[in-house]
Amino acid sequence: MFCKPYIKSTLRMLAKTAMIIDDDEDLGRLLIPMLEARKILTLPVYSLNEAEEYLSYMKPTVIFLDNSFPDGLGINFIRNIHLADEEIKIIMMTADSAKWIEEKAKAEGINYFLKKPFSMGTINTILDKLELGRD
């Protein structure tokens, strides 16, 4: 009989998945083709409430998380992601230049912090460092 950690790690090896949590649909239109070219299945999500619902049954490999939403702040949602699965990689993205956001996000345990706008080359570099896609 297989134990849960074995099944969980096997599923992660078989399919890389990403969730883009951002209320700006344009970001998804830019990221999805690039992620899918790396064989990362991608789900765009447009609110924190919707993301919470998906996290109850979906454990993505990586989450791209914006900070500003009508229903809250992404930095306050990081804890929910870790509660869903501590192995989920988090890339925080924001156009807000306040230093405390980056500091709090890092203290909450994100993997990378990006200021918008950013280049697709930057995303590819981060995904390479996280060893996602191209395998």
Side-chain angles (χ1 to χ4, degrees), residues 45-64:
V45 178
Y46 304 109
S47 73
L48 296 175
N49 289 329
E50 185 181 14
E52 184 73 34
E53 181 181 334
Y54 279 111
L55 282 173
S56 69
Y57 58 87
M58 177 188 172
K59 306 302 183 238
T61 310
V62 63
I63 289 180
F64 293 85

Side-chain angles (χ1 to χ4, degrees), residues 66-78:
D66 188 24
N67 189 49
S68 298
F69 293 89
D71 57 341
L73 294 175
I75 53 171
N76 296 331
F77 191 72
I78 296 167

Side-chain angles (χ1 to χ4, degrees), residues 7-21:
I7 293 169
K8 189 175 180 181
S9 65
T10 302
L11 287 173
R12 284 190 185 279
M13 289 187 315
L14 294 175
K16 304 290 188 207
T17 56
M19 183 183 295
I20 301 168
I21 308 173

Side-chain angles (χ1 to χ4, degrees), residues 6 9 34 70 105 107:
Y6 175 80
S9 65
M34 187 204 66

Side-chain angles (χ1 to χ4, degrees), residues 31 34-35 38 64 91 111-112 114 118-134:
L31 283 177
M34 187 204 66
L35 294 169
R38 295 177 71 107
F64 293 85
I91 301 169
N111 297 87
Y112 287 94
L114 292 175
F118 49 81
S119 71
M120 291 299 119
T122 300
I123 296 293
N124 274 315
T125 299
I126 290 170
L127 293 173
D128 287 343
K129 289 179 182 177
L130 293 174
E131 299 180 2
L132 297 174
R134 297 188 187 184

